[in-house]
Amino acid sequence: MTASIFDAFLTPPAIAEVFGERAVVAHMLDFEAALARAQAEEGVIPAGAADAIAASCDVALYDPAALVSGASRAGSLAIPLITALRAQVARHDADAAQHVHHASTSQDAIDTAAVLATRRALALIDAELAALSEALLGLAQAHAATPVLARTLMQPAGVASFGLKCIRWTAPVVRARQRMREAAVRALVLQLGGPTGLYGADDARAVAVGRRMATALKLGVAPMPWHTQRDEWVRLGSEVAVVAGSLSKIATDLSLMAQGEVGELAEPAVGPDGRRRGGSSALAHKRNPVSAMVAIAACRLVPARAASVLASMAQEHERGLGTWHAELAEWPGLFTGLYAAAQALREAFEGLEVDARRMHRHIDEAFGARIDVDGDVRRAASLVGHDALALRDAIEHLAPPPWSTD
Amino acid sequence: MTASIFDAFLTPPAIAEVFGERAVVAHMLDFEAALARAQAEEGVIPAGAADAIAASCDVALYDPAALVSGASRAGSLAIPLITALRAQVARHDADAAQHVHHASTSQDAIDTAAVLATRRALALIDAELAALSEALLGLAQAHAATPVLARTLMQPAGVASFGLKCIRWTAPVVRARQRMREAAVRALVLQLGGPTGLYGADDARAVAVGRRMATALKLGVAPMPWHTQRDEWVRLGSEVAVVAGSLSKIATDLSLMAQGEVGELAEPAVGPDGRRRGGSSALAHKRNPVSAMVAIAACRLVPARAASVLASMAQEHERGLGTWHAELAEWPGLFTGLYAAAQALREAFEGLEVDARRMHRHIDEAFGARIDVDGDVRRAASLVGHDALALRDAIEHLAPPPWSTD
Amino acid sequence: MTASIFDAFLTPPAIAEVFGERAVVAHMLDFEAALARAQAEEGVIPAGAADAIAASCDVALYDPAALVSGASRAGSLAIPLITALRAQVARHDADAAQHVHHASTSQDAIDTAAVLATRRALALIDAELAALSEALLGLAQAHAATPVLARTLMQPAGVASFGLKCIRWTAPVVRARQRMREAAVRALVLQLGGPTGLYGADDARAVAVGRRMATALKLGVAPMPWHTQRDEWVRLGSEVAVVAGSLSKIATDLSLMAQGEVGELAEPAVGPDGRRRGGSSALAHKRNPVSAMVAIAACRLVPARAASVLASMAQEHERGLGTWHAELAEWPGLFTGLYAAAQALREAFEGLEVDARRMHRHIDEAFGARIDVDGDVRRAASLVGHDALALRDAIEHLAPPPWSTD
Amino acid sequence: MTASIFDAFLTPPAIAEVFGERAVVAHMLDFEAALARAQAEEGVIPAGAADAIAASCDVALYDPAALVSGASRAGSLAIPLITALRAQVARHDADAAQHVHHASTSQDAIDTAAVLATRRALALIDAELAALSEALLGLAQAHAATPVLARTLMQPAGVASFGLKCIRWTAPVVRARQRMREAAVRALVLQLGGPTGLYGADDARAVAVGRRMATALKLGVAPMPWHTQRDEWVRLGSEVAVVAGSLSKIATDLSLMAQGEVGELAEPAVGPDGRRRGGSSALAHKRNPVSAMVAIAACRLVPARAASVLASMAQEHERGLGTWHAELAEWPGLFTGLYAAAQALREAFEGLEVDARRMHRHIDEAFGARIDVDGDVRRAASLVGHDALALRDAIEHLAPPPWSTD
């Protein structure tokens, strides 16, 4: 709820746009256009009506802010939008207006629009994760044999290599890309049930309408309407939360290694835009780990959102009262949080400064001569080599993403 | 995170504005102006500098969106704002610019601005709760002797009166207004610690600066800086979550009594703006309980936000890395959710339709002659009478709200 | 934390035993025995030592309560257990005692024991879900053409059949069984990293030890130690939470249809043990929906546990401080909650009473002659027929469960 | 749900006992005895019956485990207990048995028993907080002038004193003791509403029964039954969560200062029982911060429990279905978590090792000659002196705790 100024820096513009008014209204209009065209192709509504409807399904013809305002009164964004769409169609073809939204329901349009927006969000996230894993893999190989303390329970426990830390940070990022594909294939499906979930029952043409719409929108077809059985959808949301958890571990380690007294890592002093990052309003010399800060903050908000989405699964009967609405309200935050964290970490690791001398000094202070640094580092490096091959292979064999609509 | 279209109807404009860019930047400028004036009055900075600074602390001189964009890079809204403020002051008085933000720190300005915004949010919420409790009290008295089923574990358990249900819904709303005042007195305090929390140490003038600022901003003074010991602040947030919980009970009962098969209550068919509420995109005759829907959805999001705020209390050292940011990012959602729920319920109960015949019919169906309806209703009515007096008395004796700044 | 009396009825004994002291200590001993045997087979420790160790890995030789007490002091259950195991081995073979727990670490034993316990929990849950889906499928087919209101936003929206409600409740239960298998295959893997995560590095024998142990324990092998990259493990936990969400929807619908005023469904009056269920301490005639109550309560606790587990993914360095411990502490609650809910619903639906007349009456009251009941029911029944075939097929083709260790 | 072995070390026996079977059954019997006695004193039931009932209200006469087992079937602990109590009374006085639980209901007995258990939990927690604040105050005064880095965003930001850190850790602990008293006064009240919440309506004797019971049980009297308006109760739960949040900050700072590379603090190597703490199963020399670990883990579980309790406030009608049960199931975890954390930190700070040289070294490394250490430390020490006086004064003037029943 509410985009306040306090979370502005956790909401990169690219992802905010995806779930914004204009984009989602456009997706709802995509749904209505696809519905009309498919129904016309199946002879359910006249072809001319479908043309008139599709021609009116251009978001530039509507005022999204006014629709949102109407939605507050109606309790649903679909009601003012369908009204406005009918009026728009009627201007050119009064008869066609009667075929708008035929046999469908609010939830069909809204859920499908949410699917379409989510697909775009996943593409944005995947690109950041890809770049992050490249940066991490590069560091892993460059520092395969750079000794660093292994720390358990936040105490020195032995020696490993910084490359090994990097490769182990990488693995869940690569897995994330694969698991997100798997969850997305199942969740990015058309919603089409009609007012009571009977759409397509005992009606071959209606079934065909669904198939045609899915093809047109490049979505999958669900075995049955999923309006109140939202498990595959929530699995995708949970997957996003798991990935944010994996990033939270990287961000936490970064923050610990960048502590002043540790000083093994530092975030880049200059951002991709060439401007200084991480300054202080009071202390000119200070260099703050802003990427870790953003990633930690963003990831900290995700588990609560995942919990809200899970709790909203108790959807009453054939459309939840408040539960459906709570889920959708919470949904974008999952993707925004993950994207913000991924972007921040990608920026940090693409320009990371590694102080190998500090790393060695901490080993000396903790263990002195009591430890076989060379032997342990050689072992760590051998793991890095092995795992880097496996991860590069996994990246090459990632499933084709369902969010690529080319 | 992110104001998406999906939570638009859970974010009434009045409360969105309170935590929006322009309002919070204005509050940060209020802080800087008060700081400069108080420091001048104590002779810490020149009086002329304070005048020049205060004259530049007008939000109309700045572009909040640009500041927010700068904040993403810097990791703090204060950094671009102080830079912009210094530049603005320097245009008229280069020397005064050096006294901007003297001895203070980002967190002082941001936390205090959050306090000032929160104060406004509480005033909005309190007004809705006041109107809601009036509507409920009115119904309680009108229906003190209207028999209704008492239901335990969602089964008929006996007879009470609808007025008794109303008066028991009212009690926590009245308590909420008092408890929110108590928590607010402790939480609506100035933040002033300087870069490391030492501001005011061994320095009578600095202590006096704090007192003067608090007076100017009509805030309380904390016994010590609360930047990382945020328990009183979080108590206020938790209080808001408790109040949302109390409203969730009312909304749930409303939704159950408004079910088609129960039909004891109905939300008003027409809104305060004279337009139809709760229509359906597919079924013309349907009347949806949109107030219950909004209140249920809004309240469902609040516990997760309270959990995030609680979890963020593990603030590291003298300023948390990500924890502070997560708390502030989550903070507005608590107030937005409560406000949306209170407003929705107030609208529902101000125009509530009560079907006393349906209420009686359900008693007959459940118990027939096996129950002494008149006796139980008389007992219920006596409780209503007693409790209504007590609640009216409590309303009259509410503490003066710390959010009234007149 | 704490098994209080207040959650006793949400903690069926069968699942409580799985995560109890004795069972988990036994699993830790399974780990130690498998480790010793595998190391002996690879020539890392003497064969005789492995025999002596394995002979001592019998939980009957230890006092789990005393170990738990020792764990509080040490901060780890493994420390007192390894000490006790060494002492036990030393009684017969002092030399063998030195080979106990060789090259391993606390977390290896504890995580692997958690995996073994989780495997048993999944088997229990799967059996309940299987029985629940059978009961639901049976009802779906028996009531394929029993008209019932379709309700959206808790208002009558049209007509469907009770069988259609049942088949749509069933679908996520069947999917759950398949998705749990998929997540379990990835999560039920050996943990073996040694003190700093280097176990197996550059050491073919150590790699072979891991493979042998996995075979012996009938577990999978992870591509690398997962001690601090716990995403596949958390995915399994999240999957359990999603399934609980699917059950919460069924329980909510049951509670709504069993309301006194609705009365379309009733839970069985007598339990499988032949004793009366759902009585009241005050009202002799009352029949409470105790299965819905248990399932709702159990499912309500799950999202918060999932959030805690997700939040605990920010594991510091090579073993989290408190984060690992919080995750494990929260873990059993996910499985307990789901099992309690599944068992309660299975009991309810195996003996469900359906009042088709009440269902029809509500349609009449809502729509009268304005609706084509027969047509809609015929359509609903056709969906039931189609979906029942698909679900039976899905059940037959479920993947072999990784929790079957026969 | 479920006390697994994995949370055993987060559940100290003293607090586990408070919410255990035997203690809570005893409290329910306390309720029944007080009810009978008060009703006899008001002439509602015969005096002899009250004597017979009270004589049977001895927990030693019952098998708590069997009652819990019966509760699973009945869905309420009160049902088997009242049955057993009636049978026990009837053995001596068949007539008296009919007066058992007169005009009351399950929820009255269970809620009041929960109140009585909670009162004991608060007393345990308060004692730990008192000892913790003493330990912290002692350290604050001993180290008022021990220089330490002030760190913001986990970077060196200036100089303060370790005493100042301690005194700021102390303040919320002292506030906690006061706020817990305030919340407890309002929450530790008798529940007495009868089956439908009408108990006491229009019946002076029934009102007097409530007053007598409250006096006998040393509880407050609520203005009306709070069975479904549980805001004051939940405020107490939220307060406990806030206090856990305050402790989580202390534990986090401790963990950061005890890191190997920082080494400014160390937990005592030997526990109060004279045995070694914090060992490692793999590394003999390692000293793990087990108090920080326990406190961090315990506090991490609390926000999710607070969220569940808040979400459960949507109690349906006159007794929630599953919501009431979820709240009670979650309730003990709040207190257990806080107690475990308080105890662990108290143990750590009572024997804390402070390395002032390491503290100074970190200042030198961060700032060298660029900072006025002496000046800043003098300022910090002056704050410590001032705040220590204020906190000692606050401790002396703590309100009398409602959990003292002497």
Side-chain angles (χ1 to χ4, degrees), chain D residues 174-236:
Chain D
V174 174
R175 272 198 295 273
R177 299 184 64 204
Q178 176 61 24
R179 297 285 176 268
M180 281 171 48
R181 282 160 166 76
E182 294 164 8
V185 164
R186 292 158 169 170
L188 299 181
V189 296
L190 180 73
Q191 178 72 277
L192 187 64
T196 61
L198 290 179
Y199 194 87
D202 210 14
D203 179 349
R205 288 196 308 177
V207 171
V209 164
R211 265 196 238 105
R212 285 182 184 276
M213 288 181 72
T215 302
L217 297 168
K218 302 188 183 181
L219 294 176
V221 178
M224 51 186 93
W226 52 277
H227 48 163
T228 52
Q229 269 81 26
R230 304 173 75 82
D231 53 309
E232 295 286 29
W233 179 247
V234 176
R235 278 185 186 96
L236 175 58

Side-chain angles (χ1 to χ4, degrees), chain C residues 111-340:
Chain C
D111 277 347
T112 301
V115 166
L116 294 170
T118 298
R119 181 169 66 186
R120 289 183 60 210
L122 287 169
L124 289 174
I125 290 167
D126 189 57
E128 289 294 337
L129 295 179
L132 173 59
S133 63
E134 278 311 306
L136 289 170
L137 270 172
L139 286 162
Q141 292 179 300
H143 292 283
T146 303
V148 77
L149 276 178
R151 292 147 170 131
T152 58
L153 305 178
M154 294 177 75
Q155 297 301 318
V159 169
S161 76
F162 179 58
L164 186 64
K165 281 190 89 93
C166 291
I167 204 82
R168 289 190 171 165
W169 289 335
T170 314
V173 179
V174 175
R175 272 197 295 272
R177 297 184 66 206
Q178 175 62 25
R179 297 284 175 270
M180 281 171 50
R181 282 160 167 76
E182 294 164 8
V185 164
R186 292 158 170 171
L188 299 182
V189 294
L190 180 73
Q191 177 73 277
L192 187 64
T196 60
L198 291 180
Y199 194 87
D202 209 13
D203 178 350
R205 289 195 308 176
V207 171
V209 164
R211 266 195 238 105
R212 286 183 184 275
M213 289 180 71
T215 302
L217 297 168
K218 301 187 183 181
L219 293 176
V221 178
M224 52 185 95
W226 52 277
H227 49 162
T228 51
Q229 269 81 25
R230 304 172 75 83
D231 53 310
E232 295 287 27
W233 178 247
V234 176
R235 277 184 187 96
L236 176 59
S238 294
E239 175 58 33
V240 164
V242 170
V243 179
S246 292
L247 298 194
S248 76
K249 191 266 187 286
I250 303 175
T252 298
D253 283 357
L254 171 58
S255 75
L256 291 171
M257 298 174 84
Q259 288 172 104
E261 306 81 355
V262 179
E264 296 176 352
L265 301 180
E267 295 190 9
V270 173
D273 60 356
R275 297 170 74 167
R276 186 161 174 262
R277 306 165 77 246
S280 156
S281 78
L283 298 164
H285 64 283
K286 211 177 154 211
R287 185 146 138 218
N288 289 319
V290 290
S291 285
M293 183 182 88
V294 167
I296 289 172
C299 291
R300 274 182 165 267
L301 301 181
V302 169
R305 273 146 192 76
S308 288
V309 167
L310 286 165
S312 73
M313 293 181 77
Q315 306 250 342
E316 299 86 359
H317 292 311
E318 280 65 60
R319 182 170 313 150
L321 183 75
T323 40
W324 175 44
H325 310 83
E327 183 225 84
L328 281 182
E330 205 66 309
W331 189 256
L334 291 167
F335 297 80
T336 305
L338 176 55
Y339 180 76

Side-chain angles (χ1 to χ4, degrees), chain B residues 296-313:
Chain B
I296 288 172
C299 291
R300 274 181 166 266
L301 301 180
V302 169
R305 274 146 190 76
S308 289
V309 166
L310 286 164
S312 73
M313 293 181 78

Side-chain angles (χ1 to χ4, degrees), chain A residues 31-52:
Chain A
F31 171 91
E32 298 295 342
L35 176 69
R37 282 205 197 93
Q39 288 177 329
E41 283 158 359
E42 291 297 324
V44 180
I45 69 169
D51 290 342

Side-chain angles (χ1 to χ4, degrees), chain A residues 17-76:
Chain A
E17 188 272 333
V18 165
F19 293 107
E21 294 175 358
R22 187 182 166 86
V24 175
V25 168
H27 289 315
M28 291 177 68
L29 292 167
D30 292 342
F31 171 91
E32 298 295 342
L35 176 69
R37 282 205 197 93
Q39 288 177 329
E41 283 158 359
E42 291 297 324
V44 180
I45 69 169
D51 290 342
I53 293 170
S56 295
C57 285
D58 174 354
V59 68
L61 300 168
Y62 304 89
D63 174 0
L67 296 173
V68 166
S69 170
S72 297
R73 197 162 39 241
S76 161

